[in-house]
Amino acid sequence: MVNLDIVSPDLQPDRNLAMELVRATEAAAIRAMPFIGHGDKNAADGAAVDAMRQFLSTVNFSGVVVIGEGEKDDAPWLYNGEEVGNGRGPACDVAVDPIDGTSLTAAGRQNALSVIAVADRGSMYDPSAVFYMDKLVCGPDGVGVVDIRQPIGENIRALAKAKGVSTSDIRVAVLDRPRHAQLIEEIREAGAGTRLMLDGDVAGGVNAARYESRIDLCVGIGGTPEGIITACAVKALGGVIQGTLAPRDDDERQKAIDAGHDLSAVLEANDLVKCDNTYFVATGVTQGEFVDGVQRRGPIIRTDSIVLRSKSGTLRRVRADYQASRWV
């Protein structure tokens, strides 16, 4: 339980917080490592959740999980509303995904990440009413150029023109789901190539926003919580994220309306995270495009992470070697 006597709501998360948070994603990735490729996604996720929660308890902040494990995975820890941190320091909203891509981890496929996003208290959008969102994410070249309300072909052509390339050079990441069959066809008809993702909604969005990525655009319906986490990264990278809520059925649609959501509204980065001091921390669980997966190398375990902070607009890479004997 957080001791409110030592919480300072006037404090903002500072740059030191990022290096504390990366310890938690590193720990989650290391604990998930024995389960990579062994087919048990629940065991991998459970190990990552336990490790992340343990390390978060030592961090100097007063965090409340607003996007957690409980809603999605029926997990007993890191649930929405759980207080994390040691209660000393700034008051924060916290979004966690100990493994974004549990199925990827279980199968030994690429692009599984351990992720934490943090922002000022009360600044993260509440995604509880609608679990899915139709999203569009790209890098700085797309600012003022792309618009989720336009047909995908128009966005591809506009982005190609802004980047000074042919439409055939544009690569669009999309979750490989039956609901996206028509979208995938339209992307290819526009002349662009697709990068179909089995899972890993966050990785796809961050790759689309990141400079020098082989992905130019990420589109389609994915998780609303993942969209908010991605927005924390996009704010640091200077890219574009837009989304519209996508209720699964009439019951969810009515719940969203009752909760006061405008289902026709286009949510942008400042709607999803209403502050300019966000953190996004990710450690590779399996091999990926922008971070390596966790690896055992003889007596050491090596992790590869990125740390993004919107206030300074920085991306830092963190590679750490741990003595494997201490993680037995």
Side-chain angles (χ1 to χ4, degrees):
M1 180 68 67
V2 172
N3 182 352
L4 296 179
D5 293 334
I6 55 177
V7 173
S8 177
D10 296 326
L11 292 177
Q12 286 191 325
D14 65 20
R15 61 182 179 273
N16 296 322
L17 179 60
M19 301 312 295
E20 292 295 306
L21 294 172
V22 78
R23 293 168 55 237
T25 55
E26 288 171 352
I30 290 171
R31 288 303 188 198
M33 182 175 62
F35 302 98
I36 295 172
H38 286 269
D40 191 342
K41 69 176 186 178
N42 292 330
D45 195 48
V49 168
D50 289 345
M52 180 176 284
R53 184 172 184 265
Q54 179 181 346
F55 272 78
L56 281 177
S57 69
T58 70
V59 176
N60 289 321
F61 75 141
S62 170
V64 173
V65 176
V66 299
I67 297 172
E69 288 286 288
E71 294 275 337
K72 180 177 63 174
D73 298 318
D74 195 28
W77 303 119
L78 295 180
Y79 53 84
N80 291 7
E82 182 174 357
E83 296 170 344
V84 293
N86 64 13
R88 301 178 185 274
C92 302
D93 284 350
V94 182
V96 299
D97 201 342
I99 302 180
D100 176 48
T102 53
S103 296
L104 300 177
T105 302
R109 295 192 176 104
Q110 292 190 345
N111 290 322
L113 300 173
S114 179
V115 177
I116 297 174
V118 169
D120 296 344
R121 177 69 57 81
S123 61
M124 286 187 182
Y125 183 81
D126 179 6
S128 59
V130 182
F131 186 74
Y132 285 103
M133 172 185 286
D134 192 7
K135 287 173 282 190
L136 177 152
V137 186
C138 68
D141 288 325
V143 175
V145 172
V146 297
D147 191 319
I148 197 170
R149 290 162 288 204
Q150 295 180 162
I152 186 62
E154 289 186 26
N155 280 322
I156 288 169
R157 288 186 287 273
L159 185 60
K161 182 177 180 181
K163 293 170 77 76
V165 300
S166 168
T167 56
S168 63
D169 295 321
I170 297 294
R171 295 293 176 266
V172 185
V174 189
L175 283 170
D176 191 5
R177 301 288 189 271
R179 62 178 178 264
H180 290 148
Q182 180 64 32
L183 175 62
I184 291 166
E185 183 178 338
E186 290 174 6
I187 291 168
R188 292 170 177 168
E189 285 178 352
T194 55
R195 292 293 183 267
L196 301 184
M197 304 179 295
L198 294 174
D199 207 342
D201 202 359
V202 173
V206 176
N207 269 328
R210 189 175 58 89
Y211 179 64
E212 290 187 331
S213 169
R214 289 177 290 178
I215 301 298
D216 301 285
L217 193 62
C218 182
V219 297
I221 296 173
T224 305
E226 286 81 356
I228 297 162
I229 293 171
T230 303
C232 290
V234 169
K235 283 201 159 200
L237 294 168
V240 175
I241 181 167
Q242 296 177 331
T244 58
L245 296 177
R248 290 171 286 186
D249 50 38
D250 289 341
D251 183 57
E252 193 170 85
R253 177 179 297 274
Q254 190 58 52
K255 286 181 180 178
I257 293 170
D258 293 344
H261 292 295
D262 180 356
L263 297 179
S264 65
V266 174
L267 302 170
E268 306 204 24
N270 287 331
D271 300 305
L272 297 171
V273 189
K274 295 180 179 178
C275 77
D276 293 321
N277 193 32
T278 66
Y279 290 87
F280 173 91
V281 178
T283 298
V285 177
T286 61
Q287 194 70 17
E289 183 177 338
F290 67 97
V291 285
D292 293 332
V294 61
Q295 304 170 52
R296 174 72 181 262
R297 295 191 172 188
I300 69 167
I301 297 172
R302 176 166 292 172
T303 60
D304 190 32
S305 307
I306 62 166
V307 177
L308 299 168
R309 187 187 183 202
S310 65
K311 191 170 185 178
S312 55
T314 52
L315 183 156
R316 287 185 171 84
R317 298 187 175 274
V318 180
R319 177 164 287 180
D321 287 347
Y322 288 86
Q323 291 296 318
S325 59
R326 299 191 180 188
W327 290 83
V328 174

